[in-house]
Coordinates of all heavy atoms in Angstrom, one line a residue:
M701 N 117.0 114.5 102.0 CA 115.9 113.8 102.8 C 115.8 112.4 102.4 O 115.7 111.5 103.2 CB 114.6 114.6 102.5 CG 113.4 114.1 103.3 SD 112.1 115.2 103.2 CE 110.7 114.1 103.5
I702 N 115.7 112.1 101.1 CA 115.5 110.7 100.6 C 116.7 109.9 101.0 O 116.6 108.7 101.3 CB 115.3 110.7 99.1 CG1 114.0 111.4 98.7 CG2 115.4 109.3 98.5 CD1 112.8 110.6 99.2
V703 N 117.9 110.5 100.9 CA 119.2 109.8 101.2 C 119.2 109.3 102.6 O 119.8 108.3 102.9 CB 120.4 110.7 100.8 CG1 121.7 110.1 101.2 CG2 120.4 111.1 99.4
R704 N 118.6 110.0 103.5 CA 118.5 109.6 104.9 C 117.3 108.7 105.2 O 117.5 107.8 106.0 CB 118.4 110.8 105.8 CG 119.7 111.7 105.8 CD 119.6 112.8 106.7 NE 120.8 113.6 106.6 CZ 120.9 114.8 106.9 NH1 119.9 115.5 107.4 NH2 122.1 115.5 106.8
L705 N 116.2 108.9 104.6 CA 115.0 108.2 104.9 C 115.1 106.7 104.3 O 114.6 105.8 105.0 CB 113.8 108.9 104.3 CG 113.3 110.1 105.0 CD1 112.1 110.7 104.4 CD2 113.0 109.8 106.5
L706 N 115.5 106.5 103.1 CA 115.5 105.2 102.6 C 116.4 104.2 103.3 O 116.0 103.1 103.6 CB 115.9 105.3 101.1 CG 114.8 105.8 100.2 CD1 115.4 105.9 98.7 CD2 113.6 105.0 100.2
P707 N 117.7 104.6 103.7 CA 118.4 103.6 104.5 C 117.8 103.4 105.9 O 117.8 102.2 106.4 CB 119.8 104.3 104.7 CG 119.9 105.2 103.6 CD 118.5 105.7 103.3
L708 N 117.3 104.4 106.5 CA 116.6 104.2 107.8 C 115.4 103.3 107.7 O 115.2 102.5 108.5 CB 116.2 105.6 108.3 CG 115.7 105.7 109.7 CD1 116.7 105.2 110.7 CD2 115.2 107.1 110.1
M709 N 114.6 103.5 106.6 CA 113.5 102.6 106.4 C 113.9 101.2 106.2 O 113.3 100.2 106.7 CB 112.6 103.1 105.3 CG 111.3 102.4 105.1 SD 110.3 103.2 103.9 CE 108.9 102.2 104.0
L710 N 115.0 101.0 105.4 CA 115.5 99.7 105.1 C 116.0 99.0 106.4 O 115.6 97.8 106.6 CB 116.6 99.7 104.1 CG 117.3 98.4 103.7 CD1 116.3 97.5 102.9 CD2 118.6 98.6 103.0
L711 N 116.8 99.7 107.2 CA 117.3 99.1 108.4 C 116.2 98.8 109.4 O 116.2 97.7 110.1 CB 118.3 100.0 109.0 CG 119.7 100.0 108.3 CD1 120.6 101.1 109.0 CD2 120.3 98.7 108.4
S712 N 115.2 99.7 109.5 CA 114.1 99.4 110.5 C 113.2 98.3 110.0 O 112.7 97.5 110.8 CB 113.3 100.7 110.7 OG 112.7 101.1 109.5
G713 N 113.1 98.2 108.7 CA 112.3 97.0 108.1 C 113.0 95.7 108.3 O 112.4 94.7 108.6
L714 N 114.3 95.7 108.2 CA 115.1 94.5 108.5 C 115.0 94.1 109.9 O 115.0 93.0 110.3 CB 116.5 94.7 108.0 CG 116.8 94.7 106.5 CD1 118.3 95.1 106.3 CD2 116.5 93.4 105.9
R715 N 115.0 95.1 110.8 CA 114.9 94.9 112.2 C 113.5 94.3 112.6 O 113.5 93.5 113.6 CB 115.1 96.2 113.0 CG 114.8 96.2 114.5 CD 115.8 95.2 115.2 NE 115.5 95.1 116.6 CZ 114.9 94.0 117.1 NH1 114.6 93.0 116.4 NH2 114.7 93.9 118.4
L716 N 112.5 94.5 111.8 CA 111.2 94.0 112.1 C 111.1 92.5 111.8 O 110.3 91.8 112.3 CB 110.1 94.7 111.4 CG 109.8 96.1 111.8 CD1 108.9 96.8 110.9 CD2 109.3 96.2 113.2
S717 N 112.0 92.0 111.0 CA 112.1 90.6 110.6 C 112.7 89.7 111.7 O 113.9 89.9 112.0 CB 112.8 90.4 109.3 OG 112.9 89.0 109.0
R718 N 112.0 88.8 112.3 CA 112.6 87.9 113.3 C 113.6 87.0 112.7 O 114.5 86.5 113.4 CB 111.5 87.2 114.0 CG 110.5 88.0 114.8 CD 109.5 87.2 115.5 NE 108.4 88.0 115.9 CZ 108.4 88.5 117.2 NH1 109.4 88.3 118.0 NH2 107.4 89.3 117.5
A719 N 113.5 86.6 111.5 CA 114.4 85.7 110.8 C 115.8 86.2 110.7 O 116.7 85.4 110.6 CB 113.8 85.2 109.5
L720 N 115.9 87.5 110.6 CA 117.2 88.1 110.4 C 118.0 88.4 111.7 O 119.2 88.8 111.6 CB 117.1 89.4 109.6 CG 116.6 89.2 108.1 CD1 116.5 90.5 107.5 CD2 117.6 88.3 107.4
D721 N 117.4 88.1 112.8 CA 118.1 88.4 114.1 C 119.4 87.6 114.2 O 120.4 88.1 114.7 CB 117.2 88.1 115.3 CG 116.1 89.2 115.4 OD1 116.3 90.3 114.8 OD2 115.2 89.0 116.2
A722 N 119.3 86.3 113.8 CA 120.5 85.5 113.9 C 121.5 85.8 112.8 O 122.7 85.7 113.0 CB 120.1 84.0 113.9
A723 N 121.0 86.1 111.6 CA 121.9 86.4 110.5 C 122.6 87.7 110.6 O 123.8 87.8 110.2 CB 121.1 86.3 109.2
L724 N 122.0 88.7 111.2 CA 122.5 90.0 111.3 C 122.4 90.4 112.8 O 121.5 91.1 113.3 CB 121.8 91.1 110.5 CG 121.8 90.8 109.0 CD1 120.8 91.7 108.3 CD2 123.2 90.8 108.4
P725 N 123.4 90.0 113.6 CA 123.3 90.2 115.1 C 123.3 91.6 115.6 O 122.9 91.9 116.7 CB 124.5 89.4 115.6 CG 125.4 89.2 114.5 CD 124.6 89.3 113.3
F726 N 123.7 92.5 114.7 CA 123.8 93.9 115.2 C 122.4 94.6 115.1 O 122.1 95.6 115.7 CB 124.8 94.8 114.3 CG 124.4 94.9 112.9 CD1 123.6 96.0 112.5 CD2 124.8 94.0 112.0 CE1 123.3 96.1 111.1 CE2 124.4 94.1 110.6 CZ 123.7 95.2 110.2
L727 N 121.4 94.0 114.4 CA 120.1 94.6 114.2 C 119.3 94.7 115.4 O 118.7 95.8 115.7 CB 119.3 93.8 113.1 CG 119.6 94.1 111.7 CD1 118.8 93.3 110.8 CD2 119.4 95.6 111.4
P728 N 119.3 93.7 116.3 CA 118.4 93.9 117.5 C 118.8 95.1 118.4 O 118.0 95.7 119.0 CB 118.6 92.6 118.3 CG 118.9 91.6 117.2 CD 119.7 92.3 116.2
D729 N 120.1 95.4 118.4 CA 120.5 96.5 119.3 C 120.4 97.9 118.5 O 120.6 98.9 119.2 CB 122.0 96.3 119.7 CG 122.2 95.1 120.5 OD1 121.2 94.7 121.2 OD2 123.3 94.5 120.5
L730 N 120.2 97.8 117.3 CA 120.2 99.1 116.5 C 119.1 100.1 116.8 O 119.4 101.2 117.0 CB 120.1 98.7 115.0 CG 120.5 99.8 114.0 CD1 121.9 100.3 114.2 CD2 120.3 99.3 112.6
F731 N 117.9 99.6 117.0 CA 116.8 100.5 117.4 C 116.3 100.3 118.8 O 115.4 101.0 119.2 CB 115.6 100.2 116.4 CG 115.9 100.7 115.0 CD1 116.3 99.8 114.0 CD2 115.8 102.0 114.7 CE1 116.6 100.2 112.7 CE2 116.1 102.4 113.4 CZ 116.5 101.5 112.4
G732 N 116.8 99.3 119.5 CA 116.4 99.2 120.9 C 115.2 98.2 121.1 O 114.9 97.9 122.2
G733 N 114.5 97.8 120.1 CA 113.4 96.9 120.2 C 112.5 97.0 119.0 O 112.6 97.9 118.2
R734 N 111.6 96.0 118.9 CA 110.7 96.0 117.7 C 109.7 97.2 117.8 O 109.4 97.7 116.7 CB 109.9 94.7 117.7 CG 110.8 93.5 117.2 CD 110.0 92.3 116.8 NE 110.8 91.1 116.9 CZ 111.9 90.8 116.3 NH1 112.4 91.7 115.4 NH2 112.5 89.7 116.4
P735 N 109.2 97.6 118.9 CA 108.2 98.7 118.9 C 108.9 100.0 118.4 O 108.2 100.7 117.6 CB 107.8 98.8 120.3 CG 108.0 97.5 120.9 CD 109.2 96.9 120.2
T736 N 110.1 100.2 118.8 CA 110.8 101.4 118.3 C 111.1 101.3 116.8 O 110.9 102.3 116.1 CB 112.1 101.6 119.0 OG1 111.9 101.6 120.4 CG2 112.8 102.9 118.6
A737 N 111.5 100.1 116.3 CA 111.7 100.0 114.9 C 110.4 100.1 114.1 O 110.5 100.7 113.0 CB 112.4 98.6 114.7
R738 N 109.4 99.6 114.7 CA 108.1 99.7 114.0 C 107.6 101.2 113.9 O 107.2 101.7 112.8 CB 107.0 98.9 114.7 CG 105.7 98.8 114.0 CD 104.7 97.9 114.8 NE 105.2 96.6 114.9 CZ 105.5 96.0 116.1 NH1 105.3 96.7 117.2 NH2 106.0 94.8 116.2
T739 N 107.9 102.0 114.9 CA 107.5 103.4 114.9 C 108.4 104.1 113.9 O 107.9 105.0 113.1 CB 107.7 104.0 116.3 OG1 106.9 103.3 117.2 CG2 107.4 105.5 116.3
V740 N 109.7 103.9 113.9 CA 110.6 104.5 112.9 C 110.2 104.1 111.5 O 110.2 105.0 110.6 CB 112.1 104.1 113.3 CG1 113.0 104.5 112.1 CG2 112.5 104.7 114.6
H741 N 109.9 102.9 111.3 CA 109.5 102.4 110.0 C 108.2 103.1 109.5 O 108.2 103.5 108.3 CB 109.3 100.9 110.0 CG 109.3 100.2 108.7 ND1 110.4 100.1 107.9 CD2 108.2 99.7 108.0 CE1 110.0 99.5 106.8 NE2 108.7 99.2 106.8
F742 N 107.3 103.2 110.4 CA 106.0 103.9 110.0 C 106.2 105.4 109.7 O 105.7 105.9 108.7 CB 105.0 103.7 111.2 CG 103.7 104.4 110.9 CD1 102.8 103.9 110.1 CD2 103.4 105.6 111.6 CE1 101.6 104.6 109.9 CE2 102.2 106.3 111.4 CZ 101.3 105.8 110.5
I743 N 107.0 106.0 110.5 CA 107.3 107.5 110.3 C 108.0 107.7 109.0 O 107.7 108.6 108.2 CB 108.0 108.1 111.5 CG1 107.1 108.1 112.7 CG2 108.5 109.5 111.2 CD1 107.8 108.5 114.0
T744 N 109.0 106.9 108.7 CA 109.8 107.1 107.5 C 108.9 106.8 106.3 O 109.0 107.4 105.2 CB 111.1 106.2 107.5 OG1 110.7 104.9 107.7 CG2 112.1 106.7 108.5
A745 N 108.1 105.7 106.4 CA 107.2 105.4 105.3 C 106.2 106.6 105.0 O 106.0 106.9 103.8 CB 106.4 104.1 105.5
T746 N 105.7 107.1 106.1 CA 104.8 108.3 105.9 C 105.5 109.5 105.3 O 104.9 110.1 104.4 CB 104.2 108.7 107.3 OG1 103.5 107.5 107.9 CG2 103.2 109.8 107.2
L747 N 106.7 109.8 105.7 CA 107.4 110.9 105.2 C 107.8 110.7 103.7 O 107.7 111.6 102.9 CB 108.7 111.1 106.0 CG 108.5 111.7 107.4 CD1 109.8 111.8 108.1 CD2 107.9 113.1 107.3
L748 N 108.1 109.5 103.3 CA 108.4 109.2 101.9 C 107.1 109.3 101.0 O 107.2 109.9 99.9 CB 109.0 107.8 101.8 CG 110.4 107.6 102.2 CD1 110.8 106.1 102.2 CD2 111.3 108.4 101.3
V749 N 106.0 108.9 101.5 CA 104.8 109.0 100.8 C 104.4 110.5 100.6 O 104.0 111.0 99.6 CB 103.6 108.3 101.5 CG1 102.2 108.6 100.9 CG2 103.8 106.8 101.3
L750 N 104.6 111.3 101.7 CA 104.3 112.7 101.6 C 105.3 113.4 100.7 O 104.9 114.3 99.9 CB 104.4 113.3 103.0 CG 103.3 113.1 104.0 CD1 103.6 113.6 105.4 CD2 102.0 113.6 103.4
F751 N 106.5 113.0 100.7 CA 107.5 113.5 99.7 C 107.1 113.3 98.3 O 107.1 114.3 97.5 CB 108.9 112.9 100.0 CG 110.0 113.4 99.1 CD1 110.7 114.5 99.4 CD2 110.3 112.6 98.0 CE1 111.7 114.9 98.6 CE2 111.4 113.1 97.2 CZ 112.1 114.2 97.5
V752 N 106.7 112.1 98.0 CA 106.2 111.8 96.6 C 104.9 112.6 96.3 O 104.8 113.2 95.2 CB 106.0 110.3 96.4 CG1 105.3 110.0 95.1 CG2 107.3 109.6 96.5
L753 N 104.0 112.7 97.2 CA 102.8 113.4 96.9 C 103.0 114.9 96.7 O 102.4 115.5 95.8 CB 101.8 113.2 98.1 CG 101.1 111.9 98.1 CD1 100.2 111.8 99.4 CD2 100.3 111.6 96.9
V754 N 103.9 115.5 97.5 CA 104.2 116.9 97.3 C 104.8 117.1 95.9 O 104.5 118.1 95.2 CB 105.1 117.4 98.4 CG1 105.7 118.7 98.1 CG2 104.3 117.5 99.7
H755 N 105.7 116.3 95.5 CA 106.3 116.5 94.2 C 105.4 116.2 93.1 O 105.4 116.9 92.0 CB 107.6 115.6 94.1 CG 108.7 116.1 94.8 ND1 108.9 116.0 96.2 CD2 109.7 116.9 94.4 CE1 110.0 116.6 96.6 NE2 110.5 117.2 95.5
V756 N 104.4 115.3 93.2 CA 103.4 115.1 92.2 C 102.5 116.3 92.1 O 102.2 116.8 91.0 CB 102.6 113.8 92.4 CG1 101.4 113.7 91.6 CG2 103.5 112.6 92.2
V757 N 102.1 116.9 93.2 CA 101.3 118.1 93.2 C 102.0 119.2 92.6 O 101.4 120.0 91.8 CB 100.8 118.4 94.6 CG1 100.2 119.8 94.7 CG2 99.8 117.4 95.1
M758 N 103.3 119.4 92.8 CA 104.1 120.4 92.2 C 104.1 120.3 90.7 O 104.1 121.3 90.0 CB 105.5 120.4 92.8 CG 105.6 121.0 94.2 SD 107.2 121.1 95.1 CE 108.4 120.5 94.0
V759 N 104.3 119.1 90.2 CA 104.2 118.9 88.8 C 102.9 119.2 88.2 O 102.8 119.9 87.1 CB 104.7 117.4 88.4 CG1 104.4 117.1 87.0 CG2 106.1 117.2 88.7
L760 N 101.8 118.8 88.9 CA 100.5 119.1 88.4 C 100.2 120.6 88.4 O 99.6 121.1 87.4 CB 99.4 118.4 89.3 CG 99.4 116.8 89.2 CD1 98.4 116.3 90.2 CD2 99.1 116.4 87.8
V761 N 100.6 121.3 89.4 CA 100.4 122.7 89.5 C 101.2 123.5 88.4 O 100.7 124.5 87.8 CB 100.7 123.3 90.9 CG1 100.7 124.8 90.9 CG2 99.7 122.7 91.9
S762 N 102.4 123.1 88.2 CA 103.2 123.8 87.2 C 103.0 123.5 85.8 O 103.6 124.1 84.9 CB 104.7 123.6 87.6 OG 105.1 122.3 87.4
G763 N 102.1 122.5 85.5 CA 101.8 122.2 84.1 C 102.4 120.8 83.7 O 103.6 120.7 83.5
V764 N 101.5 119.9 83.6 CA 101.9 118.5 83.3 C 102.5 118.4 81.9 O 103.6 117.8 81.7 CB 100.7 117.5 83.5 CG1 101.1 116.1 83.1 CG2 100.2 117.6 84.9
F765 N 101.8 118.9 80.9 CA 102.3 118.7 79.5 C 103.6 119.4 79.2 O 104.4 118.9 78.6 CB 101.2 119.1 78.6 CG 99.9 118.3 78.7 CD1 98.7 118.8 79.2 CD2 99.9 116.9 78.4 CE1 97.6 118.0 79.3 CE2 98.8 116.1 78.5 CZ 97.7 116.7 79.0
N766 N 103.7 120.6 79.8 CA 104.9 121.4 79.6 C 106.1 120.7 80.3 O 107.2 120.6 79.7 CB 104.8 122.8 80.1 CG 105.7 123.8 79.5 OD1 106.4 123.5 78.5 ND2 105.8 124.9 80.1
N767 N 105.9 120.1 81.5 CA 106.9 119.4 82.2 C 107.3 118.1 81.4 O 108.5 117.8 81.3 CB 106.5 119.1 83.6 CG 106.6 120.3 84.5 OD1 107.5 121.1 84.4 ND2 105.7 120.4 85.4
L768 N 106.3 117.4 81.0 CA 106.6 116.1 80.2 C 107.4 116.5 78.9 O 108.3 115.8 78.6 CB 105.3 115.4 79.9 CG 104.7 114.6 81.0 CD1 103.3 114.0 80.6 CD2 105.6 113.5 81.5
R769 N 106.9 117.5 78.2 CA 107.6 117.9 77.0 C 109.1 118.3 77.3 O 110.0 117.9 76.6 CB 106.9 119.0 76.3 CG 107.5 119.5 75.0 CD 106.8 120.6 74.3 NE 106.5 121.7 75.1 CZ 105.2 122.1 75.4 NH1 104.2 121.5 74.9 NH2 105.0 123.1 76.2
S770 N 109.3 119.0 78.4 CA 110.7 119.5 78.7 C 111.5 118.3 79.1 O 112.7 118.3 78.8 CB 110.6 120.5 79.8 OG 110.2 120.0 81.0
M771 N 111.0 117.2 79.7 CA 111.7 116.1 80.1 C 112.1 115.3 78.8 O 113.2 114.7 78.7 CB 111.0 115.2 81.0 CG 110.9 115.7 82.4 SD 110.2 114.5 83.6 CE 108.5 114.8 83.4
I772 N 111.2 115.2 77.8 CA 111.5 114.4 76.6 C 112.4 115.2 75.6 O 113.3 114.7 75.1 CB 110.2 114.0 76.0 CG1 109.4 113.0 76.9 CG2 110.4 113.3 74.6 CD1 108.0 112.8 76.5
T773 N 112.0 116.5 75.4 CA 112.7 117.2 74.3 C 113.8 118.1 74.8 O 114.6 118.6 74.1 CB 111.7 118.0 73.5 OG1 111.1 119.0 74.4 CG2 110.6 117.2 72.9
G774 N 113.7 118.5 76.1 CA 114.7 119.5 76.7 C 114.3 120.9 76.5 O 115.0 121.8 76.8
R775 N 113.1 121.1 75.9 CA 112.6 122.5 75.7 C 111.4 122.8 76.7 O 110.5 122.0 76.7 CB 112.1 122.7 74.3 CG 113.2 122.6 73.3 CD 112.7 122.8 71.9 NE 113.8 122.6 71.0 CZ 113.6 122.8 69.7 NH1 112.5 123.1 69.2 NH2 114.7 122.6 68.9
Y776 N 111.5 123.9 77.4 CA 110.5 124.3 78.3 C 109.8 125.6 77.7 O 110.5 126.6 77.5 CB 111.1 124.6 79.7 CG 110.0 124.8 80.8 CD1 109.4 123.7 81.4 CD2 109.6 126.0 81.2 CE1 108.5 123.8 82.3 CE2 108.7 126.2 82.2 CZ 108.1 125.1 82.7 OH 107.1 125.2 83.7
A777 N 108.5 125.5 77.4 CA 107.8 126.6 76.8 C 107.5 127.6 77.9 O 106.9 127.3 78.9 CB 106.6 126.1 76.1
I778 N 107.8 128.9 77.6 CA 107.5 130.0 78.5 C 106.6 131.0 77.7 O 107.0 131.4 76.7 CB 108.8 130.7 79.0 CG1 109.6 129.7 79.8 CG2 108.4 131.9 79.9 CD1 111.0 130.3 80.2
D779 N 105.5 131.3 78.3 CA 104.6 132.2 77.7 C 105.1 133.6 77.8 O 105.7 134.0 78.8 CB 103.2 132.2 78.3 CG 102.5 130.9 78.1 OD1 102.8 130.2 77.1 OD2 101.6 130.5 78.9
K780 N 105.0 134.4 76.7 CA 105.5 135.8 76.7 C 104.7 136.7 77.7 O 105.3 137.6 78.2 CB 105.4 136.4 75.3 CG 106.3 135.7 74.3 CD 106.7 136.6 73.2 CE 107.5 135.7 72.3 NZ 108.8 136.3 72.0
E781 N 103.5 136.3 78.0 CA 102.7 137.0 79.0 C 103.3 136.9 80.4 O 103.1 137.7 81.2 CB 101.3 136.5 79.0 CG 100.6 136.7 77.6 CD 99.3 136.0 77.6 OE1 98.9 135.3 78.6 OE2 98.6 136.1 76.6
D782 N 103.9 135.7 80.7 CA 104.4 135.5 82.0 C 105.8 136.1 82.3 O 106.2 136.3 83.4 CB 104.6 133.9 82.2 CG 103.3 133.2 82.2 OD1 102.2 133.9 82.4 OD2 103.3 132.0 82.0
T783 N 106.5 136.5 81.2 CA 107.8 137.1 81.4 C 107.7 138.6 81.7 O 106.9 139.3 81.0 CB 108.7 136.9 80.2 OG1 108.1 137.5 79.1 CG2 109.0 135.4 80.0
P784 N 108.5 139.1 82.6 CA 108.4 140.6 82.9 C 109.1 141.4 81.8 O 110.0 140.9 81.2 CB 109.2 140.8 84.2 CG 110.0 139.5 84.3 CD 109.3 138.4 83.6
S785 N 108.6 142.5 81.5 CA 109.1 143.4 80.4 C 110.2 144.3 80.9 O 110.2 144.8 81.9 CB 108.0 144.2 79.8 OG 107.0 143.4 79.3

């Protein structure tokens, strides 16, 4: 998802710049016009923000300190109560 959204956001953002029309002549034809590029840019920005928010919420729900410790030390603590017998 990120691999597709970031280049699309970059190209649509470059398309919004009037100064780059002469330097990059393929940009004006890429999205069909500034309103379309603006819409694509807005949608991709919204999707990227939602992507980050969902991942932050997932870290918060699964345990912040345990996740931070596992990133630093490589050890993930599992409670014996949570494991099936």
Side-chain angles (χ1 to χ4, degrees):
M701 182 169 156
I702 293 293
V703 176
R704 292 182 181 159
L705 287 178
L706 286 176
L708 187 61
M709 187 171 182
L710 178 70
L711 287 173
S712 63
L714 289 173
R715 173 59 183 109
L716 291 173
S717 173
R718 294 182 193 269
L720 292 178
D721 287 348
L724 303 170
F726 67 91
L727 277 179
D729 298 332
L730 193 60
F731 291 100
R734 288 197 205 297
T736 306
R738 190 177 298 118
T739 302
V740 169
H741 194 72
F742 177 76
I743 290 171
T744 54
T746 303
L747 289 174
L748 284 170
V749 167
L750 286 174
F751 180 83
V752 169
L753 286 177
V754 165
H755 282 82
V756 167
V757 167
M758 286 180 0
V759 168
L760 293 174
V761 168
S762 65
V764 176
F765 298 113
N766 202 13
N767 285 324
L768 285 174
R769 181 178 50 242
S770 68
M771 284 189 275
I772 294 169
T773 65
R775 295 182 181 180
Y776 192 80
I778 299 174
D779 294 333
K780 296 207 183 231
E781 299 169 358
D782 294 339
T783 58
S785 301

